[in-house]
Amino acid sequence: MNVEILHEANQDVVDTLVAGVRAYNVENAGPGNSQPLSVIARNDSGQLMAGVSGRTIYRQFLIEVVWVNSEVRRTGLGRRLMELAESEAKKRGCIAAQVDTLSFQGPTFYAKLGFEVAGKVEGFPDGHDRYFLLKKYQ
């Protein structure tokens, strides 16, 4: 057996690892029916201004990224996109949503949407913390 340390992104390696995890999950929890889910907003010129992106799997909405351009922050657009994404996740049978964020990014934003802290990792650089948040739908 040869062990390597890779210092570059290698999509083939990542794809193989993910496929292995998914196969293991199916053996133990059944098919997860993983589906991408994104809700985005573009301005009149077609420029991406905000979005929520993740996937639904095992009745969970796993939110991978939420971003709102600084030009349209604090306008309610982020909330609107989150609500639309969560509505779609519920239509797909999701019973909860999960997201993680850093202390300077959005814990307050998510709390206003009904997310609760499920875990916290302290000690990120410059005094920041990482929060793992959960919102149960049922």
Side-chain angles (χ1 to χ4, degrees):
M1 169 135 355
N2 295 320
V3 177
E4 300 174 53
I5 296 175
L6 306 177
H7 295 281
E8 298 176 358
N10 184 320
Q11 195 59 49
D12 289 336
V13 169
V14 172
D15 290 345
T16 301
L17 295 171
V18 169
V21 168
R22 286 186 178 153
Y24 181 76
N25 290 350
V26 168
E27 288 175 22
N28 291 280
N33 195 25
S34 178
Q35 296 179 348
L37 173 56
S38 297
V39 178
I40 63 170
R42 297 181 188 274
N43 67 12
D44 293 338
S45 302
Q47 178 185 1
L48 185 64
M49 298 301 288
V52 176
S53 186
R55 66 182 44 260
T56 56
I57 184 168
Y58 293 110
R59 300 180 65 203
Q60 301 287 308
F61 178 27
L62 306 180
I63 301 166
E64 297 166 358
V65 63
V66 177
W67 172 75
V68 179
N69 185 299
S70 60
E71 295 175 27
V72 291
R73 282 189 194 134
R74 295 181 179 34
T75 65
L77 180 59
R79 171 182 281 279
R80 184 171 157 219
L81 297 180
M82 282 290 295
E83 288 171 348
L84 287 169
E86 288 188 86
S87 177
E88 180 62 26
K90 290 175 188 176
K91 288 178 189 174
R92 294 181 183 186
C94 289
I95 59 171
Q98 302 173 37
V99 66
D100 70 273
T101 189
L102 295 173
S103 53
F104 65 89
Q105 290 176 320
T108 304
F109 169 75
Y110 294 111
K112 290 178 185 176
L113 293 172
F115 284 80
E116 296 179 355
V117 175
K120 178 180 173 183
V121 178
E122 298 177 341
F124 273 71
D126 299 322
H128 300 294
D129 300 321
R130 184 175 183 185
Y131 291 90
F132 295 88
L133 305 165
L134 176 67
K135 180 177 180 180
K136 294 179 182 178
Y137 299 142
Q138 296 181 353

